[in-house]
């Protein structure tokens, strides 16, 4: 009479595919999404700092913005730890426009538009064209703020 095999050990055969699915479908995308969250926080901090600095500067003769201050702020952020942590390149941090909008009744408004490109932490081969998982994400921010003190201090 043939010997009957025990039903133990069947779960070990399913562990390999399950771990693969957990790592590829859940763990790596979660790391990428955390990187995108950090990138959004960085872009928000950068944009807020840029608009605060532009609000205390006097506009140049063409009313476009203070190019020297803009370049200085960009260089400061490019030297920051956040810039290195997100593995950004020089063209990933862009100030699209700085405009001063004069008004007769209200104080002059400063409008700043910035773009920050964030690349995924780990590029997942199955999600090549999905922004944030295989392709970079661009955060475009634009806001207005009243000009303070006309840049006297």
């Amino acid at each position: 009479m043939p010997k009957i095999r025990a039903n133990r050990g069947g779960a070990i055969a399913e562990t390999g595919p399950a771990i693969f699915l957990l790592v590829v479908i859940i763990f790596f995308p979660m790391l990428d999404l955390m990187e995108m969250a950090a990138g959004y926080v960085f872009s928000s901090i950068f944009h807020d700092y840029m608009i605060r600095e532009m609000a205390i500067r006097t506009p140049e003769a063409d009313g476009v913005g203070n190019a020297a201050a803009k370049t200085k702020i960009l260089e400061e952020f490019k030297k920051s730890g956040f810039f290195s942590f997100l593995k950004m390149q020089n063209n990933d941090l862009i100030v699209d426009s700085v405009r001063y909008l004069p008004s007769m009744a209200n104080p002059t408004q400063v409008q700043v538009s910035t773009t920050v490109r964030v690349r995924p932490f780990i590029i997942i081969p199955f999600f090549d064209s999905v922004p944030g998982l295989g392709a970079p994400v661009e955060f475009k921010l634009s806001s207005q703020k009243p000009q303070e003190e006309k840049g006297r201090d």
Side-chain angles (χ1 to χ4, degrees):
M1 181 163 226
K3 192 174 183 182
I4 298 175
R5 295 178 75 181
N7 288 334
R8 297 185 327 237
I12 196 78
E14 298 168 359
T15 304
I19 288 176
F20 174 76
L21 288 175
L22 282 173
V23 167
V24 171
I25 303 296
I26 294 175
F27 182 68
F28 289 145
M30 187 65 68
L31 288 177
D32 284 342
L33 291 176
M34 288 172 28
E35 177 90 4
M36 291 301 117
Y40 183 76
V41 167
F42 175 74
S43 63
S44 178
I45 290 170
F46 169 69
H47 181 76
D48 187 52
Y49 188 68
M50 181 64 74
I51 198 163
R52 277 188 288 132
E53 282 296 315
M54 292 297 120
I56 61 171
R57 309 261 182 212
T58 55
E60 291 180 350
D62 56 2
V64 173
N66 194 327
K70 189 168 45 171
T71 305
K72 181 182 174 213
I73 294 167
L74 278 169
E75 292 305 316
E76 283 178 15
F77 271 87
K78 286 178 182 177
K79 293 176 187 172
S80 72
F82 233 144
F83 192 81
S84 320
F85 173 72
L86 293 173
K87 292 182 253 171
M88 299 176 95
Q89 298 170 356
N90 283 336
N91 61 348
D92 288 342
L93 202 56
I94 303 164
V95 179
D96 296 322
S97 68
V98 176
R99 295 189 311 179
Y100 291 87
L101 310 169
S103 173
M104 297 305 267
N106 298 323
T108 301
Q109 297 286 314
V110 180
Q111 183 181 33
V112 176
S113 298
T114 57
T115 302
V116 178
R117 186 178 304 117
V118 181
R119 290 177 172 69
F121 181 63
I122 299 171
I123 297 175
I124 301 171
F126 305 115
F127 304 113
D128 291 355
S129 61
V130 178
L133 296 178
V137 173
E138 281 190 356
F139 296 114
K140 294 181 182 262
L141 297 125
S142 181
S143 60
Q144 282 184 228
K145 184 175 182 169
Q147 186 178 14
E148 300 173 11
E149 302 181 22
K150 301 271 188 207
R152 287 188 291 260
D153 291 333

